[in-house]
Structures are given as C-alpha cells and as structure tokens.
Amino acid sequence: MIVTAEDLRQAYDRIQESLSNMLVSFRVPDITESPIVEVFPFEKDEVAEQLPPGNFRPVNSIEEE
C-alpha cells in the first residue's frame, strides 16, 4: 500500500484509517520510504490509438520472411 505522508507516524495513521472498516484483523509489519516521488494519473488519449504515418506492416508478415 502506498500512502502520502510527512512522517512515519502520519503514514501509519493513514493506513490504520484506510483499513479500519475491514472485518478481518490486520497488522502493519513495516513502513518503508519509497523512492517514488510523484504519481501521474493515466488518461487514455483517443488520438494516440491511431498509428502515425510510416512503413507499418503486420507482425505476422514480418515473421514469415
């Protein structure tokens, strides 16, 4: 689980808050700082689905050669 926090205590509190509505017991064995600095949400770009102009061929035709 990845959470944003200023320090370890805040990270632990946020995990506890997030999982507090679970019906099973849990424990947090370890909290480690991640090298991840920022997360960008994925937004599907409709234009990117189209291939740019070029010399494109189906893969199966290349494998036959």
Side-chain angles (χ1 to χ4, degrees), residues 58-65:
V59 174
N60 61 1
S61 70
I62 295 172
E63 292 173 352
E64 292 173 358
E65 291 178 1

Side-chain angles (χ1 to χ4, degrees), residues 3-49:
V3 296
T4 57
E6 296 293 323
D7 56 19
L8 293 175
R9 170 51 68 187
Q10 187 179 31
Y12 180 81
D13 291 342
R14 288 184 176 181
I15 291 170
Q16 290 289 334
E17 180 184 338
S18 175
L19 300 176
S20 65
N21 60 352
M22 290 181 52
L23 299 175
V24 296
S25 61
F26 66 92
R27 67 183 188 94
V28 180
D30 192 21
I31 297 179
T32 307
E33 185 176 357
S34 170
I36 297 173
V37 177
E38 191 168 354
V39 176
F40 297 96
F42 174 76
E43 295 178 10
K44 188 173 182 179
D45 188 6
E46 299 298 328
V47 178
E49 288 186 14

